[in-house]
Amino acid sequence: MDEVEVVVAHSERATLRVGDVFLKVDPDRARVDAEVEAMSLAPVPTPEVLWRKPPVLAIAAVPGTTLGRLGRPSTRSPAAWSAAGAAMRKLHEAPPPARPGRAGRSTVALAAELDDECELLVSRNVLPADLVIRNRQVAEAALRPWTPAFTHGDLQIAHVFVDDDEVTGIIDWSEAGRGDALYDVATFTLGHEEHLDDVIDGYGTAVDLDVIHAWWSLRSLLTVRWLIEHGFDAFAPGCEVDVLRSRM
């Protein structure tokens, strides 16, 4: 009998694995609807939707293995990282969905959220003031006009599966929608700066490295406190706090 594996679980949602089936439990029906729509539109390999009965979505496992995880060295070849960059470019060039995704928040709203979060990080002694101030300065470069693209919105390396240096599946599309393409590139390379050149090589066009660095800082600043409050270790080697320290 297959065992139930808890892939991820927190107060907002949970993902369980039973054999070759993933069960995503999410009380936010709009988020589930957006995920299913994005997977149907994306021009890259995505999981097969087996059935849905709110608040549960059942999807099939995809072949291959992930490129790695944040905080752990990746053993994948440069060609695998390059293939992921090529898949990302293919997604970004596709007609974007009508709805904005996580990568599509307005710069005004994002700047306000970032300033509020930076104040909390310092006032609650979560992070040193100099670390927060420096990364807030770096993050400013991300707050600029951008051309809407079809973005995944949470393109962590753990969400991209490869086999024989080919992308076999991209999972977890609940944050997908119209957004800034460089947000995806930055999310994918967060904590793995050594593979950025390989990803850009596969992406096939020049990217603004200052914006990539800015998104690393911005994403990390906005997630550190949430991660801690939900039982994750943002201070683990190679994770978000180390990403912030790397900008000093």
Side-chain angles (χ1 to χ4, degrees), residues 78-79 81-83 85-86 89 195-207:
W81 285 84
S82 182
R89 177 71 181 278
H195 295 292
L196 178 58
D197 287 345
D198 297 323
V199 172
I200 293 175
D201 181 63
Y203 197 68
T205 188
V207 303

Side-chain angles (χ1 to χ4, degrees), residues 161-225:
F161 287 71
V162 295
D163 189 27
D164 290 333
D165 297 335
E166 293 187 6
V167 174
T168 55
I170 300 177
I171 65 171
D172 285 357
W173 292 82
S174 60
E175 306 290 352
R178 300 171 70 91
D180 179 3
L182 293 191
Y183 180 90
D184 275 353
V185 178
T187 300
F188 188 71
T189 54
L190 181 78
H192 290 277
E193 187 170 358
E194 70 278 11
H195 295 292
L196 178 58
D197 287 345
D198 297 323
V199 172
I200 293 175
D201 181 63
Y203 197 68
T205 188
V207 303
D208 189 330
L209 295 182
D210 287 340
V211 175
I212 298 297
H213 298 160
W215 276 122
W216 286 344
S217 291
L218 197 155
R219 180 182 170 96
S220 297
L221 286 169
L222 290 182
T223 59
V224 164
R225 192 169 57 88

Side-chain angles (χ1 to χ4, degrees), residues 11-248:
S11 60
E12 293 182 6
R13 48 193 158 175
T15 301
L16 311 176
R17 179 171 186 167
V18 185
D20 289 332
V21 177
F22 285 89
L23 302 175
K24 303 190 70 173
V25 184
D26 191 337
D28 187 338
R29 183 161 185 168
R31 190 159 53 198
V32 175
D33 290 343
E35 177 163 14
V36 172
E37 178 191 26
M39 288 191 291
S40 71
L41 296 174
V44 295
T46 61
E48 177 189 0
V49 175
L50 301 176
W51 52 265
R52 32 185 323 210
K53 187 176 181 180
V56 181
L57 170 67
I59 60 175
V62 297
T65 55
T66 66
L67 276 161
R69 290 191 177 277
L70 183 63
R72 302 178 190 174
S74 172
T75 60
R76 287 295 184 176
S77 69
W81 285 84
S82 182
M88 207 182 312
R89 177 71 181 278
K90 188 175 183 180
L91 174 68
H92 293 161
E93 290 182 334
R99 70 181 295 274
R102 184 156 186 82
R105 290 167 290 175
S106 77
T107 56
V108 173
L110 196 56
E113 180 185 356
L114 181 60
D115 287 339
D116 289 344
E117 188 62 30
C118 287
E119 183 178 349
L120 289 173
L121 289 170
V122 174
S123 65
R124 298 184 182 181
N125 296 315
V126 178
L127 294 174
D130 61 340
L131 185 65
V132 173
I133 292 170
R134 170 55 184 159
N135 278 276
R136 176 61 183 87
Q137 293 169 343
V138 173
E140 187 66 25
L143 304 175
R144 87 281 178 228
W146 40 266
T147 301
F150 192 152
T151 56
H152 180 280
D154 191 21
L155 200 60
Q156 305 173 44
I157 60 170
H159 293 162
V160 179
F161 287 71
V162 295
D163 189 27
D164 290 333
D165 297 335
E166 293 187 6
V167 174
T168 55
I170 300 177
I171 65 171
D172 285 357
W173 292 82
S174 60
E175 306 290 352
R178 300 171 70 91
D180 179 3
L182 293 191
Y183 180 90
D184 275 353
V185 178
T187 300
F188 188 71
T189 54
L190 181 78
H192 290 277
E193 187 170 358
E194 70 278 11
H195 295 292
L196 178 58
D197 287 345
D198 297 323
V199 172
I200 293 175
D201 181 63
Y203 197 68
T205 188
V207 303
D208 189 330
L209 295 182
D210 287 340
V211 175
I212 298 297
H213 298 160
W215 276 122
W216 286 344
S217 291
L218 197 155
R219 180 182 170 96
S220 297
L221 286 169
L222 290 182
T223 59
V224 164
R225 192 169 57 88
W226 185 95
L227 289 167
I228 294 170
E229 292 175 352
H230 288 79
F232 301 100
D233 188 3
F235 287 85
C239 293
E240 284 79 4
V241 175
D242 272 358
V243 171
L244 295 173
R245 289 170 177 156
S246 72
R247 298 301 105 197
M248 296 298 285

